Amino acid sequence: MKTNDQLDPNIFVIFGGAGDLTWRKLMPALFDLSQSHSIPAHFAIIAVDRVELSDDKLRKRLLEGVRKFARSGKTAAKEWTEFSRHVHYLQGDFKSNATYKELGGQCDNLEKEWGAKAQRIFYMATPPSLFGEIPSFLAHAGLAADRERARIVIEKPIGYDLDSAQALNRILAGGFQESQIFRIDHYLGKETVQNILAFRFANPLFEPIWNRRYVDYVTITVAEEVGVEHRGGYYDGAGALRDMVQNHLLQLLCLVAMEPMVSFDADEIRNKKVDVLHAVRAIPHDAVHRSTVRGQYGKGWSGGKKTRAYREEEGVPPDSQTETFAALRLFVDNWRWQDVPFYLRTGKRLPRQVSEVAIQFRGVPHQAFPTEATLDWQPARLVISIQPDEGIVLRFQAKHPGPKMVLQPVDMRFSYRESFDTPSPEAYVTLLWDVINDDATLFMRADQVEAAWRLLMPVLDVWKASPPSDFPNYAGGAWGPDATQGLLVQQGHSWPAPVELAGCPQPK
Ligand code: BG6
């Protein structure tokens, strides 16, 4: 194993160590970290789960996941053998004190063996129903007591609504200090999402026009081509608003709309983000139907193949009222953004996978060019392409070559693939590295999670009180229900066609 001798000894405990998240995301990310010298010399992974498994059997299973999902997973067996020696299995009931006693004993033994105190990371990769229990058992067993070295990592969903999120935050706060709690939103680990800060605040060029004077409106799209896949059971109890908007889309909104940070300090950045959520204009109950659109996919087509309706998916009731598509119009009430609409949309079974933020600038104050010069004219637009293409496109007007003055929009493109020879790391690699290094910048604080729930509560309440009568209301493979256009058309706005960066030349 390639190690980093500068890092403190580390014990990485995964509750749900035999589960899907560990297999698909955590272990491949930890393995990738080990291959880039980002793992401490003294390092152990303790996978805790209920099923009966030996160390060897677990390692064999984890290797499959690493081969499939890790960037360096096709690596020689030697690297895996070295790495897997650090992986141990602890069978135990998550709700039994004995499990935590045993775990504490194993941690103590490792520290004795290493002759040093270790950072202890407790990662909850379990079903959300256990989120409230495990932290209390850990605290009860004294495993949270070292405020400097013990950390807990929790995956979304953080609650189901404002009340349950507050209750969960209270439980976490009962055993851990806020500085010990790392709430994951994997979008924040994406390279292109982090680049929003770099782009905005490392280039003074854009900041002066990043406001209501120059920006007409902003769209944030997170579209998925896939349906609900094998997660129908979970998803049907959540829906698009809880599953995607409450976390990923609002995080993007915060990064696009926040004020410049004063320093690159975790709390400074998180303060600036939470300010945005506090400034979002509350949606009155009687305006919810005008400001939002919900949808559910019916039968359709994807990649030339017929696809099932949501109600026919595994684990989904045939009369489900759960939305698989959500769109909202929000306003950020502050000096910078007053009256600039932010349109958010997300959905499953849309025509293609694409996540992007488009900043639509205003037109020129006075059009001096002759009418025939401006037939193709469009106001400038900046598109931050998050995935699958990674980059930024600035669309502006240029003179078309020829004797006449004819204006035509052209694109200036920055593509990660073209500009850098290192591929972007998987979000979990970045996030786990930050957990190991005790850097909370990319993690959600309790107040931020609660502010996000607070602003969505009127929508959740009204949607619940008035079940949709038209579901399914979009065919699989369409851009959501027709009403989605209506959200923008009233203002003379439109959803931009997704940009393509794929044509950019490959790096040399
Ligand atoms: C998860 C949601 O948080 O994000 C999933 O629960 C969704 O429903 C996924 O598919 C999308 O993530 P990504 O990184 O593929 O855009």
Side-chain angles (χ1 to χ4, degrees):
M1 187 167 77
K2 298 171 181 168
T3 60
N4 182 333
D5 298 342
Q6 310 293 316
L7 291 171
D8 286 345
N10 199 302
I11 304 173
F12 201 100
V13 179
I14 307 177
F15 293 98
D20 193 60
L21 182 68
T22 309
W23 183 71
R24 191 181 288 272
K25 297 286 185 189
L26 305 185
M27 208 52 73
L30 289 168
F31 182 70
D32 275 343
L33 282 173
S34 78
Q35 297 309 294
S36 58
H37 305 257
S38 308
I39 291 288
H42 291 312
F43 185 64
I45 298 171
I46 305 180
V48 187
D49 220 320
R50 286 170 286 211
V51 289
E52 208 180 305
L53 267 182
S54 62
D55 281 1
D56 274 352
K57 276 207 179 123
L58 176 75
R59 288 173 188 165
K60 230 183 233 156
R61 184 176 138 69
L62 293 176
L63 175 59
E64 277 170 35
V66 164
R67 286 227 170 97
K68 215 165 162 184
F69 301 111
R71 286 269 152 82
S72 46
K74 306 259 171 325
T75 192
K78 187 173 141 257
E79 273 88 16
W80 170 255
T81 311
E82 273 181 37
F83 174 83
S84 67
R85 266 196 266 125
H86 299 260
V87 180
H88 310 279
Y89 186 64
L90 167 62
Q91 186 194 355
D93 180 352
F94 298 128
K95 299 185 190 177
S96 152
N97 285 321
T99 306
Y100 298 84
K101 197 161 168 231
E102 169 73 25
L103 178 62
Q106 291 198 6
C107 292
D108 293 344
N109 288 343
L110 283 164
E111 288 181 347
K112 247 182 238 149
E113 188 186 312
W114 296 337
K117 288 257 175 221
Q119 311 272 334
R120 296 179 182 187
I121 294 166
F122 301 106
Y123 200 113
M124 291 201 282
T126 61
S129 55
L130 289 159
F131 289 177
E133 315 244 16
I134 293 171
S136 308
F137 276 100
L138 284 168
H140 183 72
L143 290 167
D146 186 338
R147 301 299 188 205
E148 300 299 318
R149 293 198 185 81
R151 297 196 262 294
I152 189 158
V153 187
I154 174 165
E155 284 276 337
K156 67 172 259 279
I158 315 278
Y160 178 79
D161 54 16
L162 179 58
D163 287 347
S164 53
Q166 284 174 329
L168 181 53
N169 282 336
R170 272 195 300 274
I171 291 173
L172 289 166
F176 294 82
Q177 286 179 351
E178 184 60 33
S179 59
Q180 296 177 277
I181 307 169
F182 285 65
R183 297 177 190 78
I184 290 216
D185 179 325
H186 78 277
Y187 262 63
L188 295 179
K190 291 185 193 271
E191 206 63 37
T192 40
V193 172
Q194 294 175 65
N195 189 48
I196 298 176
L197 281 190
F199 179 74
R200 285 193 57 200
F201 302 132
N203 299 293
L205 186 64
F206 298 102
E207 195 46 24
I209 55 167
W210 208 264
N211 56 49
R212 65 192 303 275
R213 221 168 140 204
Y214 293 96
V215 176
D216 195 6
Y217 63 98
V218 176
T219 58
I220 301 179
T221 299
V222 177
E224 295 185 90
E225 190 177 351
V226 292
V228 74
E229 299 181 292
H230 57 279
R231 293 165 71 233
Y234 149 76
Y235 191 88
D236 201 61
L241 202 68
R242 289 185 170 92
D243 185 50
M244 298 292 288
V245 178
Q246 192 274 341
N247 34 75
H248 308 325
L249 277 90
L250 288 180
Q251 289 291 341
L252 293 175
L253 170 74
C254 288
L255 289 166
V256 170
M258 70 188 253
E259 293 302 315
M261 63 272 177
V262 174
S263 65
F264 214 77
D265 167 75
D267 267 327
E268 164 61 9
I269 293 176
R270 298 192 295 180
N271 287 343
K272 291 291 189 298
K273 285 166 68 180
V274 96
D275 282 349
V276 174
L277 296 178
H278 289 154
V280 172
R281 190 181 302 167
I283 307 177
H285 282 74
D286 61 359
V288 164
H289 288 307
R290 262 177 290 136
S291 310
T292 67
V293 174
R294 58 184 156 167
Q296 188 191 75
Y297 63 81
K299 289 181 194 298
W301 291 86
S302 172
K305 286 199 185 120
K306 275 192 181 165
T307 53
R308 287 192 284 194
Y310 174 69
R311 289 176 176 179
E312 296 164 342
E313 302 276 18
E314 181 195 322
V316 175
D319 56 352
S320 168
Q321 303 283 41
T322 300
E323 83 282 356
T324 58
F325 178 94
L328 289 89
R329 181 177 52 233
L330 298 176
F331 292 94
V332 178
D333 284 342
N334 61 18
W335 278 43
R336 187 189 284 267
W337 295 118
Q338 193 65 40
D339 295 332
V340 175
F342 286 81
Y343 301 101
L344 278 53
R345 67 174 167 171
T346 184
K348 294 200 183 279
R349 277 270 178 262
L350 301 186
R352 51 173 282 207
Q353 186 210 12
V354 57
S355 298
E356 63 175 38
V357 176
I359 314 289
Q360 179 64 62
F361 292 99
R362 293 186 187 283
V364 289
H366 166 66
Q367 187 55 277
F369 291 97
T371 317
E372 57 287 7
T374 59
L375 291 178
D376 260 349
W377 183 86
Q378 290 171 9
R381 175 188 298 158
L382 183 104
V383 179
I384 301 172
S385 185
I386 291 161
Q387 63 182 24
D389 290 347
E390 297 179 315
I392 293 179
V393 176
L394 178 62
R395 177 162 294 184
F396 61 100
Q397 304 307 306
K399 179 185 174 301
H400 193 279
K404 289 191 193 153
M405 173 55 79
V406 174
L407 298 175
Q408 193 187 312
V410 290
D411 289 346
M412 205 184 249
R413 304 194 289 188
F414 149 60
S415 151
Y416 265 79
R417 221 159 38 114
E418 184 190 0
S419 303
F420 301 111
D421 15 318
T422 22
S424 300
E426 229 274 311
Y428 273 88
V429 172
T430 305
L431 294 172
L432 296 191
W433 165 249
D434 285 354
V435 172
I436 290 172
N437 283 283
D438 200 12
D439 179 353
T441 312
L442 300 180
F443 298 82
M444 298 180 293
R445 224 171 40 190
D447 55 340
Q448 199 183 354
V449 174
E450 291 174 17
W453 279 119
R454 195 167 288 115
L455 81 89
L456 292 182
M457 282 320 294
V459 184
L460 288 167
D461 290 343
V462 171
W463 282 5
K464 188 174 171 200
S466 51
S469 52
D470 59 346
F471 276 10
N473 60 355
Y474 71 97
W479 281 107
D482 293 343
T484 315
Q485 306 302 332
L487 261 191
L488 287 76
V489 168
Q490 299 155 11
Q491 274 78 17
H493 300 156
S494 59
W495 295 104
V499 297
E500 306 261 355
L501 282 167
C504 276
Q506 295 278 2
K508 292 186 196 90

